[in-house]
Amino acid sequence: MESAHPSDPAAATSSAAPPPPPPPPLPRPVTETVRPEWGGIDRLATLDLLRLMNAEDRTVATAVTGALPRIAAVVDAVAARMGRGGRLVYAGAGTAGRLGVLDASECPPTFNTGPGRVVGLIAGGPPALLHAVEGAEDRPERAVADLDALAPTPDDTVIGLSASGRTPYTVAAVRHARTAGALSVGLSCTAGSPLVAAAELGIEVVVGPEVVAGSTRLKAGTAQKLVLNLISTAVMVRLGKTYGNLMVDVRTGNAKLRDRARRIVTEITGADEATARRALAATGGEAKDAVLVVLAGVDAPAAAQLLAASGGRLRDALELARRPVRTAQE
């Protein structure tokens, strides 16, 4: 029996599997939707244009309110992991990536977080903070490489930020984080997005069409900034980085922050400014330690020990300092 010749077109046609059909196109994100009634904004008086934009901005906080239960779940999960030494990592492209880097960069001076505890990754790397790096968001392999450089662990959290919820770099970051065992979170301004579907926890803040269609630096960017404010601030409160609403872990790197630390010490202790300055000088500018020096009557090393024994929480350290010391005979 003759076999079909390999060059026979009929044989090739009969043996080759048909190519798979192309995937259906994704629906247009709501952030890209055009509102016809806004088609004449270029002819509005300046004040009327600003009123329109301001009215739309007021809807953002309401949209965030609807997501608060999911945000709370993320805060508790992140705080538990960071309490075990884990890191918080933001990943995004464009406006979303810049917002993540912004939030990460503000945690050290505000909450005295250690190097690398809160990290921002942006598609295109540091140059993308100042200039758009075209095409960077379409390279999912770069997200994998950027995360691999951090060697994520199960105690880490990776939050992917994308207004459309479909940015390849961001979706890949969340998927890779989940594969590595880290907690993965998707934050999107579009319902039912691939980003949220890929993540273990999802936050959707749907703010609707932008006044300038597709310009997600507007309402979507505002929504993402509000959510990041909520997450990082609440996590730090849970970690004992505040005493009440006072920024007791502030890093005193300039005159303004040194003055703030002095006011914090006087506010908590009721001491005069001279006493607060002496306590801060003795503790190297550490406000929590200085409060213990004043209220517990201990020296700086003892204050540091009390905080270490209390997981860095000033309220617990003060309670520990008030306990009677047990003697060997007791």
Side-chain angles (χ1 to χ4, degrees), residues 180-299:
L183 175 66
S184 58
V185 180
L187 169 56
S188 172
C189 295
T190 302
S193 69
L195 175 62
V196 169
E200 186 175 345
L201 297 176
I203 300 170
E204 294 178 337
V205 183
V206 182
V207 295
E210 300 285 6
V211 172
V212 176
S215 182
T216 53
R217 55 182 284 274
L218 299 176
K219 291 190 297 183
T222 300
Q224 290 170 326
K225 181 66 171 76
L226 289 175
V227 173
L228 294 186
N229 285 350
L230 292 171
I231 291 173
S232 59
T233 303
V235 165
M236 296 303 160
V237 171
R238 294 277 78 86
L239 293 176
K241 295 289 188 177
T242 67
Y243 181 86
N245 65 341
L246 296 177
M247 197 188 301
V248 288
D249 245 339
V250 63
R251 185 175 292 176
T252 53
N254 58 43
K256 177 188 74 175
L257 296 179
R258 287 190 291 272
D259 188 55
R260 181 179 298 165
R262 177 189 52 76
R263 291 197 307 271
I264 288 171
V265 174
T266 58
E267 176 75 21
I268 295 174
T269 66
D272 57 39
E273 291 191 6
T275 301
R277 286 195 179 95
R278 285 195 299 270
L280 284 165
T283 60
E286 297 288 345
K288 288 195 295 191
D289 302 61
V291 168
L292 284 163
V293 167
V294 175
L295 290 183
V298 298
D299 59 15

Side-chain angles (χ1 to χ4, degrees), residues 24-238:
L26 292 171
R28 179 190 298 183
V30 67
T31 52
E32 300 286 338
T33 302
V34 177
R35 291 272 293 268
E37 64 268 35
W38 294 342
I41 64 170
D42 55 333
R43 296 194 297 271
L44 290 177
T46 300
L47 184 56
D48 290 335
L49 173 60
L50 297 179
R51 282 173 174 153
L52 169 62
M53 295 178 68
N54 182 242
E56 286 300 305
D57 285 342
R58 289 199 296 273
T59 68
V60 175
T62 301
V64 172
T65 299
L68 286 178
R70 288 182 174 271
I71 297 170
V74 170
V75 167
D76 289 339
V78 174
R81 286 162 174 79
M82 292 194 76
R84 298 193 296 264
R87 295 167 294 181
L88 172 58
V89 180
Y90 299 124
T95 296
R98 294 183 189 99
L99 289 171
V101 173
L102 172 63
D103 198 72
S105 67
E106 290 181 340
C107 285
T110 308
F111 301 112
N112 204 12
T113 55
R117 293 298 307 281
V118 186
V119 180
L121 299 177
I122 182 170
L129 293 172
L130 298 177
H131 306 285
V133 179
E134 300 299 337
E137 69 176 54
D138 296 324
R139 298 186 61 189
E141 73 278 5
R142 287 308 312 163
V144 173
D146 290 346
L147 269 183
D148 281 344
L150 296 176
T153 75
D155 282 336
D156 295 331
T157 303
V158 176
I159 300 181
L161 315 169
S162 170
S164 68
R166 62 175 65 174
T167 306
Y169 177 94
T170 311
V171 175
V174 164
R175 284 179 176 154
H176 191 58
R178 194 167 187 176
T179 300
L183 175 66
S184 58
V185 180
L187 169 56
S188 172
C189 295
T190 302
S193 69
L195 175 62
V196 169
E200 186 175 345
L201 297 176
I203 300 170
E204 294 178 337
V205 183
V206 182
V207 295
E210 300 285 6
V211 172
V212 176
S215 182
T216 53
R217 55 182 284 274
L218 299 176
K219 291 190 297 183
T222 300
Q224 290 170 326
K225 181 66 171 76
L226 289 175
V227 173
L228 294 186
N229 285 350
L230 292 171
I231 291 173
S232 59
T233 303
V235 165
M236 296 303 160
V237 171
R238 294 277 78 86

